Amino acid sequence: MRMKSRKAAVVASALAMTLSGLVAGGTTAGAATQSDVGIQACYDTARSYYKPEGSYYYPSGYPGGTWLTATSNCNDINIRTNSNRWVRVCFDPTSGSPYCQDEYTYAESGQWAVIATAVLNGTKFKFQFWSGPVATGSWAA
């Protein structure tokens, strides 16, 4: 009988803690939101890049050359640099001339940075770096 009352007390205590978290609007530790899951799925498809010395674009060449393509895996264009960098995105629209964002975004080494938001699947783009030293890291779009 004593064992049953201890189990009941533990269950009641756990239920009370869960309900208090729900009432307060909290989530349990370790619970992933739908946004977290989407971001992780985006980064799971990340690809590495190497920008050689003297080039300001990845992939090289602007306005011509090879372009990267945004996918349905991500809603944004993201970069994770291996050294602190200023980066912006240049786009190659299906109609009209290629163009670059007005502003550069600071990408801190080892951290994901969103460079362009609300990017449609199939959008052609390149990264433009503020400076010419070798740059490496990963990108996801």
Side-chain angles (χ1 to χ4, degrees):
M1 182 76 167
R2 187 173 184 145
M3 188 64 131
K4 285 183 182 179
S5 63
R6 282 187 186 169
K7 282 184 182 178
V10 169
V11 169
S13 176
L15 181 59
M17 289 180 0
T18 300
L19 289 176
S20 68
L22 292 175
V23 170
T27 59
T28 58
T33 66
Q34 186 173 4
S35 177
D36 292 338
V37 171
I39 290 169
Q40 189 58 48
C42 173
Y43 295 157
D44 283 347
T45 61
R47 297 186 176 167
S48 62
Y49 71 88
Y50 171 83
K51 181 194 74 68
E53 175 82 27
S55 174
Y56 290 85
Y57 295 93
Y58 177 80
S60 295
Y62 181 81
T66 303
W67 291 82
L68 305 172
T69 304
T71 68
S72 60
N73 296 330
C74 306
N75 293 324
D76 305 320
I77 296 174
N78 309 274
I79 196 166
R80 183 177 179 154
T81 59
N82 289 332
S83 58
N84 297 339
R85 298 284 174 173
W86 288 93
V87 186
R88 69 180 178 177
V89 172
C90 299
F91 297 96
D92 186 20
T94 54
S95 62
S97 299
Y99 67 94
C100 298
Q101 295 171 311
D102 292 334
E103 303 291 327
Y104 285 86
T105 299
Y106 184 71
E108 189 174 335
S109 177
Q111 303 294 318
W112 282 105
V114 176
I115 308 300
T117 59
V119 178
L120 297 176
N121 184 26
T123 300
K124 302 291 185 190
F125 69 96
K126 291 181 185 234
F127 292 103
Q128 182 182 16
F129 294 82
W130 178 266
S131 59
V134 170
T136 61
S138 301
W139 65 272

